[in-house]
Amino acid sequence: MENFSLILAIVVVTALAFDFTNGFHDTANAMATTISTGALKPKVAVAMSAVLNLVGAFLSVEVANTISKGLVDETGIRPEVIFAALVGAILWNLLTWLVGLPSSSSHALMGGLIGATIASAGVGAVHGDALVTKVLIPAIAAPLVAGIAALLATRLSYSLGKKADGKAAAKGYRTGQIASAGLVSLAHGTNDAQKTMGIITLALVAGGAVAPDSDPPLWVILAAGLAIALGTYLGGWRIIRTMGKGLTDLQPQQGFAAQTSAATVILASSHLGFSLSTTHSVSGSVMGAGLGRKGGVVRWSTATRMFVAWGLTLPAAALVGALAEYVTGFGAWGTAAVAVFLIASSAAIWKISRREVVDHTNVNESDEPAGVVTTAIAAVTPPPAGTATEDLTATIPAPSSEPAPSQATV
């Protein structure tokens, strides 16, 4: 550890800050449907998810090795390159969190790393085969596989439950949701916490603190697990609202099917070393579950905005990472300038978010993404003849299981 320089320490701290944002950004992956259906109270849900994220971080290092050894050439990569990559990933995470869009923290990290590496060492330093086989193909396949599995599982659940008592079945599925949410949280720890482990290990190799081709040291595994668990506990309530209420209205059967399908896909990818986006997997499964119920809906306006964010994640983070790497190339003052820019931008995004606070007390109050006022339509729409205005108004806050006229019905 005699080579643990100041810049390397800055990189490690920044990587853990990214891991923290990954935690609160992706809490929705595990707990949004559980919270939206009332299976668990919001604070209990995120506490449970945090613990299981920490446990999952110790179960495997395959994904960490994909990041540290497979995506870019370790030789010639300076710690400043890793720092620049993290800047791009953190800023994209914060921006998408601000607007309540579930985007991929994993792809933000890899986009930042690719952009910074190209700016530093050229296109040849990126392993294109690993990028395609272990990042891009899973990015497309995961939501499709999870969505189809959730659609079929939802239809099977309703088919098997036709003769069952409605209340008893709902209670049973809520219990199942808690178990499946725990499985998704565990899977999230095995996949996403490892990405930070991989990026720290890559920085340690670049800084000469560990030998090339090394697995993540134990202290790296522990630090990454704790950082993502803390971020998870604080809860990304804006994204939880979008995932739980903005994409579709879920019943317990659908929530159970969605979470079980997503967990299966994520755990399988972790075993194979695929750097999968848990956000893509869970989003796909939620939409599949929405389509699987007769009369169910998917709010395609929200889904479209989410798809656009997915498509922009890699190039946007890569661009910021490349620009940050260019500035760090001017020396110590350039690195300091990038650090100041990151801190100032993060503080500005946080301040903007305080204009409309979304937390555990109001996360289920709206079925639209954060910042969208749904009652405005009711304010300008006259009530039906013979209906008391106050009675109509009283029904507005309650989410309906029936599709609104403007929604696509399946």
Side-chain angles (χ1 to χ4, degrees):
M1 285 295 180
E2 64 274 6
N3 293 323
F4 208 93
S5 61
L6 176 60
I7 181 60
L8 195 52
I10 292 173
V11 171
V12 170
V13 171
T14 308
L16 294 177
F18 164 78
D19 206 24
F20 175 81
T21 67
N22 191 352
F24 75 71
H25 194 279
D26 289 359
T27 302
N29 294 335
M31 290 299 170
T33 59
T34 304
I35 291 171
S36 68
T37 61
L40 281 176
K41 293 183 178 179
K43 293 295 285 185
V44 174
V46 295
M48 171 184 166
S49 184
V51 172
L52 290 172
N53 265 287
L54 177 59
V55 173
F58 287 87
L59 297 184
S60 170
V61 294
E62 292 302 319
V63 175
N65 288 336
T66 295
I67 298 293
S68 64
K69 303 175 187 178
L71 191 57
V72 298
D73 190 353
E74 292 176 325
T75 60
I77 298 296
R78 301 173 296 116
E80 290 84 353
V81 175
I82 313 300
F83 175 62
L86 290 165
V87 170
I90 290 172
L91 289 179
W92 183 256
N93 269 0
L94 292 176
L95 283 171
T96 50
W97 164 78
L98 178 64
V99 297
L101 281 178
S103 72
S104 172
S105 298
S106 309
H107 290 175
L109 176 61
M110 288 179 285
L113 180 60
I114 291 168
T117 299
I118 291 174
S120 174
V123 176
V126 177
H127 297 160
D129 53 345
L131 175 63
V132 172
T133 59
K134 291 200 171 186
V135 177
L136 296 181
I137 291 178
I140 298 172
L144 293 175
V145 173
I148 293 171
L151 186 151
L152 296 176
T154 299
R155 291 186 175 176
L156 179 62
S157 297
Y158 279 105
S159 177
L160 294 176
K162 282 181 179 179
K163 297 182 180 180
D165 177 76
K167 291 184 178 179
K171 183 178 179 180
Y173 277 112
R174 283 194 176 93
T175 302
Q177 268 196 282
I178 296 173
S180 59
L183 191 59
V184 175
S185 296
L186 192 69
H188 185 255
T190 66
N191 204 285
D192 278 46
Q194 286 191 54
K195 289 154 190 169
T196 299
M197 298 177 206
I199 207 75
I200 292 176
T201 303
L202 181 59
L204 294 175
V205 171
V210 300
D213 294 323
S214 296
D215 286 338
L218 179 60
W219 70 267
V220 172
I221 297 174
L222 179 60
L226 288 172
I228 200 169
L230 179 59
T232 298
Y233 178 70
L234 291 181
W237 304 110
R238 291 171 177 269
I239 299 176
I240 289 177
R241 176 184 284 185
T242 300
M243 190 79 85
K245 294 290 187 179
L247 278 175
T248 185
D249 293 322
L250 292 178
Q251 296 179 354
Q253 293 93 324
Q254 294 167 283
F256 173 71
Q259 289 172 325
T260 304
S261 302
T264 302
V265 171
I266 297 167
L267 286 171
S269 71
S270 296
H271 178 70
L272 296 172
F274 292 157
S275 185
L276 188 72
S277 167
T278 53
T279 299
H280 290 190
S281 301
V282 177
S283 299
S285 68
V286 167
M287 286 187 284
L291 295 173
R293 175 170 63 89
K294 185 177 181 180
V297 298
V298 170
R299 297 183 179 90
W300 293 111
S301 59
T302 301
T304 300
R305 294 192 303 118
M306 186 177 67
F307 294 150
V308 171
W310 289 3
L312 290 176
T313 298
L314 270 170
L319 178 60
V320 176
L323 291 174
E325 163 56 20
Y326 174 77
V327 176
T328 62
F330 288 102
W333 73 265
T335 302
V338 172
V340 170
F341 173 74
L342 174 62
I343 294 171
S345 299
S346 302
I349 292 171
W350 175 259
K351 186 175 181 180
I352 293 171
S353 75
R354 297 302 87 192
R355 296 175 183 174
E356 182 189 357
V357 177
V358 180
D359 58 20
H360 68 282
T361 64
N362 63 1
V363 68
N364 277 337
E365 287 184 1
S366 173
D367 62 357
E368 293 291 338
V372 178
V373 181
T374 58
T375 55
I377 298 175
V380 298
T381 304
T387 302
T389 302
E390 58 271 19
D391 291 340
L392 178 64
T393 304
T395 66
I396 293 172
S400 172
S401 62
E402 295 298 324
S406 61
Q407 297 166 345
T409 304
V410 177

